[in-house]
Every structure is written in C-alpha cells, then in structure tokens.
Amino acid sequence: MAKLQVAIDLLTTEEALALAAKVAPYVDIIELGTPLIKNMGSTVITAMKAAHPDKLVFADLKTADAGELEADIAFKAGADLVTVMGAAGNATIIGAVKAAKAHGKGVVVDTIGYPDRVKRAQEVTALGVEFVELHAGLDEQWTPGYSIQVLIDEAARAGVPVSIAGGVNIDNVAAVIKAGAIVAVAGAAIYGAEDPAAAAKALREAIDAA
Ligand SMILES: O=C(CO)[C@H](O)[C@H](O)COP(=O)(O)O
C-alpha cells in the first residue's frame, strides 16, 4: 500500500506538533521540512518522534556533504529517514547509508535541481538508499509553466522505488500513485488547507482507492 507523507514546512516545533496531531491518523510519514530543522535544530526531530513513536519521522536535511555525520546527528535525535541531495557525490550518499545501517534506519535521496532525475534515481538506488524523491522544489513549482506531470511521467519509467514531491494535491494524487510512486508527499496541500485533517483524510482515501 502506498504511503502518505505530510511535509511540514512550518517554522516552529509548536506549530509542527500541532499540525502533526491533527493529521497523524491519516499519514504514514511525518516530514520535518528543511526550514523547520534549520530554525529549530535537531530538537524538533526528538520532539516529533516522542509525540508520534508509531510514525516514520523524516528529517529533510537535504545533506550535500558530510553524509555520515549529518545523518548520524538526525538518527540519534530520533529520525527514521533522512534526505541527502542527489547532486551530492556518491561518497556523501554512501556515508549517510552507513549511518543509516548503524541505526537500522534509512536514507532518501532528493533529486531537486538534478538535470536527469530518473538516471540519478537508478544510480543511487544501487548505493542502498531506501527510495528516491522525484522532487520539484518550491522555487521550481513557482516557475511559470511548472506541471507535476513531469514527475509523474518520470515515476512511470524510473523502475526503482520513488516518491513524488512538488505540488501533490487531491487533484493529482491518484495519478502520482498510479504512476508507481510508493510515497506521495504533500506539503502545502495539507498545512495550507483550511482544515488540514480533512485534507489529509481526503488524500489518504484517494491513495487507498488508486
Ligand atoms: O521539500 C520541500 C521543498 O523543498 C517540500 O516539503 C516538498 O516540496 C513538499 O511540499 P509541497 O507539497 O508544498 O510541494
């Protein structure tokens, strides 16, 4: 069954915990966004895991160097999954995977900004990562002409475990899952909704029905 990941791109631990409490019944993975971790440090990871020990806590570190060291910090704080940039060298990804193995946790590679996301997804899967995030970041989403369809098409031909992030919402989540993504990542569609719990519930139901 495909998973739903809520991306919490809020700025304080208090706000993040409040949102997670509302949406937890409908999500499998709770992502702590990069700005949130930069603002609050690793304490937000510890607080989220303590509040939701039954969920996978995803620390969106977007590590670009010192993979083993940065991953180790997040795993020690309570993360289950951490991100490393696909644009980072293989040595950085291998280092993070080493830390993940030591903790019994996982690494996700974020392909944001990478020219050939599918090729990189295939390469890094061979390095032992959990799955690869086919991702159009917020700046790319705000570029005129952006469509999530490009990620959906990439997922369909990736041939390795992938998630999709970059504007997932109730209108496109079924296509995301039908393309083969094992995880649908939704940020603004949940935290920006008037009723985040209802938004997460609708996404959950659409994923289960896809
Ligand atoms: O990692 C991120 C930005 O770098 C976001 O969390 C990710 O893109 C999901 O958020 P949204 O659904 O709003 O695109």
Side-chain angles (χ1 to χ4, degrees):
M1 186 64 74
K3 290 185 164 64
L4 175 59
Q5 173 172 330
V6 58
I8 304 184
D9 286 318
L10 303 174
L11 289 181
T12 67
T13 300
E14 195 182 12
E15 289 173 297
L17 288 171
L19 180 70
K22 288 179 191 161
V23 305
Y26 313 109
V27 307
D28 307 287
I29 305 175
I30 299 174
E31 173 188 335
L32 306 173
T34 317
L36 175 63
I37 293 174
K38 285 188 174 172
N39 200 37
M40 303 307 301
S42 63
T43 58
V44 67
I45 302 172
T46 306
M48 190 60 75
K49 191 64 188 176
H52 297 281
D54 56 326
K55 302 292 173 188
L56 292 171
V57 171
F58 180 115
D60 191 15
L61 300 180
K62 289 191 173 72
T63 290
D65 192 13
E68 183 176 2
L69 176 63
E70 290 201 4
D72 188 61
I73 290 167
F75 291 134
K76 279 186 179 143
D80 298 293
L81 295 164
V82 301
T83 55
V84 179
M85 298 310 295
N90 285 355
T92 302
I93 296 169
I94 289 166
V97 169
K98 185 176 172 203
K101 288 208 167 99
H103 289 274
K105 305 294 184 183
V107 171
V108 176
V109 164
D110 184 335
T111 56
I112 199 169
Y114 202 84
D116 187 338
R117 287 182 281 248
V118 170
K119 181 165 168 277
R120 192 60 177 145
Q122 293 163 347
E123 287 168 359
V124 300
T125 298
L127 302 179
V129 308
E130 210 63 24
F131 58 90
V132 177
E133 184 169 289
L134 299 176
H135 189 189
L138 300 174
D139 292 335
E140 186 176 345
Q141 289 179 50
W142 296 332
T143 304
Y146 169 74
S147 166
I148 195 173
Q149 190 60 45
V150 66
L151 303 177
I152 291 170
D153 293 344
E154 287 171 2
R157 62 188 172 87
V160 294
V162 296
S163 64
I164 289 184
V168 170
N169 61 36
I170 195 63
D171 297 325
N172 57 40
V173 72
V176 163
I177 300 306
K178 283 181 183 154
I182 61 166
V183 179
V185 183
I190 295 178
Y191 67 74
E194 202 173 309
D195 183 344
K201 183 170 185 282
L203 286 163
R204 164 92 276 148
E205 288 170 357
I207 288 171
D208 292 348

